[in-house]
Each structure stands twice: as C-alpha cells, then as structure tokens.
Amino acid sequence: MAIATTLFDLTGRTILITGASRGIGFAMAKACAEHGARVVLNGRDPATLAEKVDALAAAGHAAEGEAFDVTDEAATIAALDRIVARHGALHGAIANAGVQHRVPVLDFPTADFRRVVETNLTACFVLGREAAKRMAATGGGAIINTVSMLGPIARPTVPAYIAAKEGLRALTRAMAVELGAKGIRVNAIAPGYVATEMNTALIENEPFNAWVIGRTPMGRWAQPEELGGAAVFLMSPAGAFVSGHILSVDGAMSVAV
Ligand code: GCO
C-alpha cells in the first residue's frame, strides 16, 4: 500500500528559477510546481517567459514571471524584492541561467571569457548572496546552482564555461559552510549532456553526437525533464540535511573511462 508522504512536498514554498524559459531551467520549474511550489520563472525575454508561465498556470500550477538579465545586479535585487513583497518570503532559488561559447583556447577572446564567467559564475554569486539575505530574514531556505559534469573533467574549446562551472562548484561549498547556521542549504546539480537548445549544434554534429552516446554508459543524451527530480529532492524536506553537495545527473558519464 502506498504511504502518503510529504517528503517531496514543496507546498507553501516560493522558488525562483533563473534561465527558466527553456531547457533545464523550465524542467526544474515545472517539476517544483508539480510538487506544490509557487514558482517564479526568470528569463531575459518577457514574451518567451510569459509563454512558459502561462503553460504552467494553464496546468493549474502557481507560476509567475520575473524578466531580467541575471548579470544586471540591480535588476536581480529589484526582482527579489518584488517576490518577497508579493509573497512574504523566498524559500528557494535555483541559479540556473548560463551561456556557452565554443572556441579553441588559443583563439578564445578575453571579452567572451569575461562574459561567460560573468553569467555562469558571478551572476550566480549575486543571486545566491541576495537570495540568502532574504531567506535568512524569514527562517532559511535552499539554493541550487546548476553546474556541469565539466569542471573536474574537461573537453577542448569550452575553457570559459569549464572554469566558471568549476568555480561555481567551489562557490556552492563556500556558501554552504557559511549559511548553514542561518538555515540555508546550498547545493549544486551537475548535468551531463542534455538535449537542450544550448546543445543543439552538438546534437546535430554527428561525430559529437556519436561520441556522447558512446561515452555515456546509459547510451543517450538526457532529456531536460530528467533534471527535475534532482531539483525537487534538493528543494524538499527529503533534502533537509543535504548541503554542500554536487548531485550528478549524467548517466554515469563522469565516472566512465
Ligand atoms: C559542451 C556542452 C556542455 C554541456 C554540459 C556537459 O559544449 O560540451 O555545452 O558544456 O552543456 O555542460 O556537462
């Protein structure tokens, strides 16, 4: 007989997810909403964001949008203040927004390196710090950073992405150790190769596609929806004593030679 449990219940929790107009971010937002959370989706383009918010609302979920560029610190702070003003508290934040830039390292422009680090690392720091301030004021919360399988291991032509994502792993641990006393947990999710828009060029590149399929013990790309459960777990009572953790969702690719 199934036992009713609140272990993965997010009812009553307000959770902001950045980069939620598509891909992993939208999948995480949808999964959290399906487990009872009020989700606040972030994206840069208001129209695209509204389509996704409307889709979740049409399915009966509590969903709203906050369009801003995560590299704009003032806009990030203003959005967090609006969320707390509307709902009284922020219980969760998923710093998921990220960019990719693929150029061989010897040709990699400094400006592009700075841009990738700004979005994939610094913006996550700002969101985490500002979210944590607000969470601390209302009893605590949970932060998740979307890192990558890449970081501890690397592949050619994505040096900025790898550096930023590895730095974000370290930032996750740094914030976890400082914020535990305030009732705030900080974890990361490390996706492997996921079939998202950011990776379309890779999927359509037959040799690369074959390499991913061959190097992944589960023999395929992940679907974005397969990242949702990890976010629910780390946001929910089931993860109540999990902090400083990097949760891999990569089909065992990172542990295979
Ligand atoms: C790439 C991909 C990767 C994936 C993911 C792998 O160019 O290799 O974009 O970075 O997105 O991060 O874990």
Side-chain angles (χ1 to χ4, degrees):
M1 178 184 76
I3 300 171
T5 170
T6 59
L7 207 51
F8 296 95
D9 186 1
L10 298 176
T11 301
R13 299 191 186 197
T14 298
I15 300 172
L16 168 65
I17 307 95
T18 67
S21 293
R22 60 181 57 83
I24 292 170
F26 178 70
M28 289 180 175
K30 182 171 182 284
C32 288
E34 288 169 344
H35 284 75
R38 170 191 293 112
V39 291
V40 184
L41 281 66
N42 157 263
R44 280 180 297 185
D45 175 50
T48 309
L49 188 61
E51 285 172 18
K52 295 297 187 178
V53 169
D54 292 350
L56 292 182
H61 302 306
E64 55 196 60
E66 282 285 350
F68 61 91
D69 183 331
V70 295
T71 64
D72 180 338
E73 182 165 346
T76 299
I77 291 170
L80 289 169
D81 285 341
R82 285 194 296 271
I83 294 166
V84 172
R86 283 199 300 270
H87 303 304
L90 177 70
H91 303 99
I94 302 181
N96 168 78
V99 294
Q100 181 57 284
H101 193 73
R102 304 180 179 107
V103 170
V105 65
L106 295 182
D107 303 321
F108 207 101
T110 306
D112 287 314
F113 190 93
R114 286 198 174 99
R115 176 176 57 82
V116 172
V117 170
E118 181 69 21
T119 303
N120 292 10
L121 178 55
T122 308
C124 295
F125 161 71
V126 171
L127 181 72
R129 179 193 68 203
E130 294 304 317
K133 284 179 185 175
R134 290 152 180 82
M135 290 172 180
T138 53
I143 295 169
I144 297 172
N145 292 312
T146 299
V147 295
S148 167
M149 176 188 76
L150 300 185
I153 58 175
R155 80 172 188 87
T157 77
V158 286
Y161 184 95
I162 290 172
K165 291 293 191 180
E166 180 73 332
L168 190 53
R169 285 177 178 244
L171 179 65
T172 299
R173 291 187 282 265
M175 292 184 76
V177 301
E178 274 203 63
L179 298 176
K182 299 180 186 302
I184 299 168
R185 299 183 293 107
V186 188
N187 293 290
I189 291 171
Y193 280 92
V194 188
T196 61
E197 279 183 41
M198 187 173 81
N199 288 334
T200 301
L202 303 179
I203 295 166
E204 292 172 352
N205 177 312
E206 191 40 46
F208 196 98
N209 180 57
W211 173 77
V212 168
I213 291 170
R215 274 285 283 109
T216 306
M218 290 185 72
R220 62 178 176 84
W221 293 71
Q223 292 304 312
E225 297 71 30
E226 294 177 298
L227 278 295
V232 170
F233 163 62
L234 290 172
M235 276 292 160
S236 73
F241 202 61
V242 179
S243 195
H245 185 64
I246 314 289
L247 178 52
S248 290
V249 184
D250 65 17
M253 189 176 189
S254 61
V255 299
V257 292

